[in-house]
Amino acid sequence: MAEAQSGPSNGRKRKYRSDGVSPTWVKRTIEGPGIWATCVKGKEKGTVGELYDLFESLAADMWPIEGHDSSANDRDNGSDTDENEDDLETQIAKEVAALKRPKVEKRLAICLTNTQCVIFISCKPPVDPVKLVMKHVDNVQKTGVTRTKYTHRLTPVSGTCVANLPELHSLCRRTVAAYCAQENSEGSPRARKYKVELRVRNHNTLTRMEIIQEVAKCMPSNYTVDLDNPDVFVLVEVFKSTFGVSIVEDYYRFQKFNVMELANAHNEPERFEKGAGRVQDKKQEDDNETM
């Protein structure tokens, strides 16, 4: 009797895993280039949704899929004449063609972290997590609109590896080589100042100094350390048994990629210029009472 009762439930296809939160298409391991994000505690599920929609929208503009937009436009243009010109057979033929159209492979995937306030979104080529984040923070700084509600800080990583020194060394070499190749294509190599920005979560195998020294070994000879006024920043994210590395510029100018702080820095001066704020509001209340 027990087997008969458990049979249908075991054979039922589940949309979500046993934790009730993560969908079945979520990756169980952190891998590849991607973006680390921190968020409001308890709002991880909402953050996943808002960031996925945001990054998909930005990626569609930055790396458009060939033929994807044109087919959408064709459907839109044809919708105006469906009522007058298309008969039932034509509409069915269009629906069949839409079903046969090759599916667009997802370029973003959520990776499980099993940690509160921490999210990782994996990016597939041609999506570049550094360019994606830089585009977003630049938009936030200019407009003061985050397009997200729960997201705090975004940290792109150009690659990930197992958290040991040989793997870190290899990853750093590849990341630095790719960055320098792009930089050298724009002109001859020049002296640069850099700083290592290290963030460690749930990891106690390697010390901070060991990690920083290993990263320093991978930097070119024309790069020197400058902790006060660096030109470039080497972002190193250590999470449990995973390393992530990227090289970015303007890290401090963009408030360390904290979108909430960027939006506040843009919007607060406007509020006070218009006479907002508690002090000004209190003064207006006092003036109204005396009138």
Side-chain angles (χ1 to χ4, degrees):
M1 182 65 67
E3 293 180 357
Q5 291 178 352
S6 61
S9 61
N10 291 337
R12 187 180 304 160
K13 185 178 180 180
R14 293 181 178 178
K15 184 178 180 181
Y16 288 86
R17 291 194 174 96
S18 58
D19 57 10
V21 177
S22 55
T24 54
W25 49 267
V26 169
K27 291 185 177 181
R28 301 194 69 89
T29 58
I30 297 170
E31 58 184 17
I35 301 170
W36 288 101
T38 57
C39 65
V40 177
K41 184 178 181 180
K43 299 296 183 180
E44 292 81 8
K45 187 176 179 181
T47 305
V48 165
E50 67 184 16
L51 285 179
Y52 194 90
D53 292 341
L54 169 65
F55 291 149
E56 276 287 0
S57 175
L58 291 174
D61 293 335
M62 299 174 68
W63 300 279
I65 300 174
E66 185 178 356
H68 182 67
D69 293 335
S70 60
S71 61
N73 293 334
D74 292 341
R75 291 195 299 272
D76 293 340
N77 295 335
S79 62
D80 296 335
T81 58
D82 280 346
E83 296 180 359
N84 298 328
E85 299 180 3
D86 291 349
D87 55 18
L88 181 59
E89 292 183 359
T90 305
Q91 293 180 22
I92 293 175
K94 286 185 176 181
E95 292 179 2
V96 172
L99 293 174
K100 292 182 177 180
R101 188 177 296 113
K103 294 183 178 179
V104 178
E105 184 180 2
K106 292 184 180 297
R107 299 183 290 184
L108 304 175
I110 310 300
C111 299
L112 289 177
T113 64
N114 297 321
T115 303
Q116 290 183 329
C117 307
V118 180
I119 293 166
F120 184 79
I121 300 179
S122 177
C123 302
K124 293 183 179 180
V127 177
D128 185 329
V130 174
K131 293 180 179 179
L132 194 64
V133 170
M134 294 297 291
K135 176 67 173 177
H136 179 51
V137 296
D138 184 59
N139 290 340
V140 175
Q141 187 179 65
K142 291 178 179 177
T143 64
V145 179
T146 64
R147 297 177 63 183
T148 55
K149 186 176 181 181
Y150 307 116
T151 303
H152 286 163
R153 190 187 307 277
L154 301 172
T155 305
V157 289
S158 299
T160 57
C161 68
V162 178
N164 60 58
L165 293 182
E167 291 290 337
L168 173 62
H169 187 90
S170 176
L171 176 61
C172 284
R173 286 289 188 185
R174 297 194 304 271
T175 305
V176 171
Y179 179 82
C180 291
Q182 180 181 358
E183 185 182 44
N184 295 342
S185 65
E186 301 173 357
S188 58
R190 54 194 175 97
R192 304 299 299 274
K193 298 176 291 185
Y194 77 94
K195 179 181 179 181
V196 177
E197 286 281 341
L198 172 63
R199 184 175 291 106
V200 180
R201 297 187 181 94
N202 301 342
H203 178 87
N204 54 14
T205 303
L206 299 173
T207 66
R208 296 179 62 88
M209 187 55 62
E210 287 176 325
I211 297 171
I212 292 174
Q213 289 177 347
E214 196 64 34
V215 172
K217 295 177 183 178
C218 304
M219 303 307 294
S221 58
N222 58 314
Y223 279 60
T224 57
V225 176
D226 189 330
L227 303 182
D228 298 323
N229 189 30
D231 301 315
V232 297
F233 298 82
V234 182
L235 306 185
V236 181
E237 288 283 323
V238 185
F239 179 79
K240 296 182 179 179
S241 60
T242 302
F243 277 149
V245 178
S246 64
I247 300 178
V248 301
E249 300 178 13
D250 300 321
Y251 189 58
Y252 288 164
R253 183 168 73 86
F254 287 122
Q255 303 287 345
K256 295 185 176 182
F257 300 162
N258 189 313
V259 293
M260 285 192 171
E261 290 187 6
L262 278 173
N264 290 336
H266 180 277
N267 297 325
E268 286 298 324
E270 292 184 356
R271 290 184 53 204
F272 285 101
E273 286 175 4
K274 296 177 182 179
R278 285 180 288 181
V279 174
Q280 182 68 22
D281 293 342
K282 178 64 176 175
K283 182 178 183 301
Q284 291 179 354
E285 292 177 1
D286 294 340
D287 291 342
N288 294 334
E289 292 177 357
T290 57
M291 291 178 61

